Amino acid sequence: MQTRKKQQLHRKLLHVFFSLLLLAAFVFVGYKWAYPYYQKWEQHQEMLRSRPKVQLAGDGTSTSAAWHNLDAYHEGLKQHYGFVYRAAYETPAQTTVGVDYVIPGLAETPAYDYVKKRVTAADAMTPQGIAIAYNYMLITAYDADHTHASVIYVLDKNTGKYLKTIHLPGRPHVGGIAYDPKGMQIWITGSKDDQSALMSFSLAKLIEYVTTNKSAGEAIKYDVDIPITSIVKASTLAYYDDQLFVGYFNEDGHGKVASYKIARSGKYKNTITTSEITSVNDSVAWSDPDGSTSMNKQIQGLAIYGNKIFLSQSYGSKDSRLYIFPVTAIKNLDEKNAEQVVTMPPYLEQIIAYNGQLICLFESGSAEYATPRITVMDRTLSVNINALLDNN
């Protein structure tokens, strides 16, 4: 009898021991899994507590800097990216356009909510593309929560003052934006029927949208909506010399950049002909200078200025890279052919060359990516191109 009781007691003790061991394992695994998320949340809350007071435009879009006052913004750049800081702030700018313009809407953007079927405030808008069209600076953004409509923020080109938010149809990633000054068309990259597409609307339609009252969340209507089967995931867009250069983002290998000639007469005036799309799409070798070429992986932006080509490269929270090529390298934009490589803050997206300045847009100001571990860029950065090229 005593032996049986001892055996039962031993079994109970073993059961308790293994139960406690299992519980300890669950607690340990849960801690290891959950703590990083808690830590990230706590860091984000601290950033929210220290951000400048949020100011809203009449339509409810935030117009204050999302994370830093101007002095803190400059100090972070100066401390970690001294060469870029000197090229931006210690060399006279050739134009003040794009110098420290606050990216609007990062704290709050009223946009159509596809879940709730009405306009609600989005707090995770993520900047992607930048362009200058007439008297406007245009910045595209998509909702990192994939709930709200994608948008284009319209700023006064000369002052950076927020003017309006243009709502786009659907929730495209809107990787790039470009302006064709001859045809007076704004082009953006997006998707149609689960493949990449080019969409455009006229400058006149943009001006009408900005200067007239629109219903909350009313989407602008495209003039052109063209599927691009040759580009799997269009991530960048640039206009140069009657051509649209469309770049393909690739996380692993080399991407592609295709150039499409814009027709200036006939049925397809100021857009792209069907034969041009077919010709480029059917180019297997990707070697025609009027067709496409290979380029670095993880490319986010492309700009052409004078005899130079600039490519921005970023992926994740590591430092970005700005590659500078001679224009003769257009057929092979591989990093080994770059004349210069400039280290930039993380999350560098689209770049544009304007009047001797390279204006850079970063997505790090989005709540999705802003952390105290990186240099968060919640404004546009304008760098003197001549100073950038003088990297000695």
Side-chain angles (χ1 to χ4, degrees):
M1 183 68 69
Q2 288 291 105
T3 302
R4 183 178 300 173
K5 286 182 178 180
K6 286 182 179 180
Q7 290 175 342
Q8 290 175 346
L9 180 61
H10 287 161
R11 282 196 295 269
K12 288 180 180 179
L13 288 174
L14 284 173
H15 178 74
V16 170
F17 173 76
F18 282 113
S19 297
L20 290 173
L21 190 64
L22 185 61
L23 178 62
F26 275 120
V27 169
F28 177 77
V29 171
Y31 173 81
K32 294 285 286 186
W33 177 82
Y35 183 70
Y37 291 94
Y38 169 77
Q39 195 174 39
K40 182 179 179 181
W41 176 85
E42 181 58 39
Q43 290 172 345
H44 183 67
Q45 294 305 306
E46 179 59 32
M47 291 184 70
L48 288 175
R49 287 191 289 268
S50 62
R51 80 181 342 170
K53 183 179 178 180
V54 176
Q55 299 175 359
L56 302 178
D59 63 5
T61 302
S62 59
T63 57
S64 49
W67 304 106
H68 305 301
N69 61 45
L70 189 58
D71 287 343
Y73 173 81
H74 284 172
E75 183 58 32
L77 193 62
K78 184 177 183 179
Q79 182 178 350
H80 299 290
Y81 304 93
F83 172 70
V84 175
Y85 177 87
R86 291 190 294 275
Y89 301 108
E90 294 181 357
T91 304
Q94 300 189 59
T95 175
T96 58
V97 171
V99 176
D100 295 339
Y101 285 5
V102 169
I103 302 170
L106 297 180
E108 188 169 328
T109 298
Y112 185 76
D113 187 322
Y114 281 88
V115 175
K116 296 182 178 179
K117 307 299 182 185
R118 58 184 174 84
V119 174
T120 63
D123 61 4
M125 283 295 182
T126 304
Q128 292 294 288
I130 185 170
I132 291 175
Y134 184 52
N135 289 326
Y136 307 111
M137 176 176 284
L138 310 177
I139 296 176
T140 65
Y142 74 95
D143 181 14
D145 292 333
H146 308 292
T147 298
H148 295 82
S150 299
V151 299
I152 301 175
Y153 301 114
V154 184
L155 284 63
D156 184 294
K157 178 188 75 173
N158 297 307
T159 66
K161 179 182 177 182
Y162 169 77
L163 300 175
K164 198 77 171 271
T165 297
I166 293 177
H167 300 264
L168 300 175
R171 292 168 280 185
H173 192 80
V174 287
I177 185 170
Y179 177 59
D180 167 18
K182 290 185 180 179
M184 294 187 290
Q185 291 284 317
I186 292 96
W187 291 86
I188 62 174
T189 57
S191 59
K192 181 179 182 181
D193 300 327
D194 295 324
Q195 60 185 348
S196 291
L198 280 172
M199 291 84 78
S200 77
F201 55 90
S202 67
L203 175 64
K205 191 172 286 187
L206 168 69
I207 294 173
E208 179 190 11
Y209 197 107
V210 171
T211 57
T212 59
N213 292 324
K214 294 288 183 180
S215 301
E218 181 179 347
I220 198 166
K221 292 180 173 59
Y222 297 130
D223 296 331
V224 173
D225 192 347
I226 308 171
I228 305 292
T229 57
S230 62
I231 304 293
V232 179
K233 184 180 179 183
S235 62
T236 187
L237 181 64
Y239 168 86
Y240 183 78
D241 191 26
D242 291 332
Q243 297 173 83
L244 286 176
F245 290 82
V246 185
Y248 157 52
F249 175 97
N250 192 339
E251 295 183 9
D252 302 313
H254 277 67
K256 303 289 183 182
V257 57
S259 64
Y260 299 90
K261 291 180 179 178
I262 299 174
R264 295 303 182 192
S265 61
K267 178 182 177 181
Y268 292 94
K269 184 178 180 179
N270 296 324
T271 185
I272 303 169
T273 65
T274 302
S275 59
E276 174 71 6
I277 295 169
T278 302
S279 173
V280 175
N281 288 354
D282 290 344
S283 176
V284 177
W286 299 91
S287 59
D288 183 349
D290 291 324
S292 53
T293 177
S294 70
M295 72 175 185
N296 283 355
K297 61 183 180 180
Q298 302 166 356
I299 291 301
Q300 305 288 359
L302 180 152
I304 303 173
Y305 188 82
N307 62 351
K308 303 294 180 184
I309 298 173
F310 300 86
L311 291 183
S312 61
Q313 178 193 57
S314 73
Y315 190 69
S317 59
K318 297 179 181 179
D319 285 341
S320 302
R321 295 286 184 268
L322 180 67
Y323 291 91
I324 304 174
F325 298 86
V327 75
T328 52
I330 185 64
K331 291 185 180 181
N332 191 2
L333 298 175
D334 189 275
E335 59 186 38
K336 69 177 181 292
N337 296 321
E339 294 178 333
Q340 281 181 238
V341 182
V342 179
T343 301
M344 302 285 280
Y347 297 108
L348 175 60
E349 290 293 312
Q350 191 167 355
I351 52 177
I352 53 172
Y354 183 77
N355 286 0
Q357 298 286 122
L358 192 71
I359 304 175
C360 308
L361 181 74
F362 298 79
E363 66 177 358
S364 57
S366 168
E368 179 75 5
Y369 302 114
T371 75
R373 298 189 300 273
I374 65 171
T375 301
V376 175
M377 305 290 286
D378 54 9
R379 293 167 168 83
T380 59
L381 175 68
S382 179
V383 184
N384 184 299
I385 291 177
N386 288 334
L388 201 60
L389 297 177
D390 186 22
N391 192 15
N392 297 317

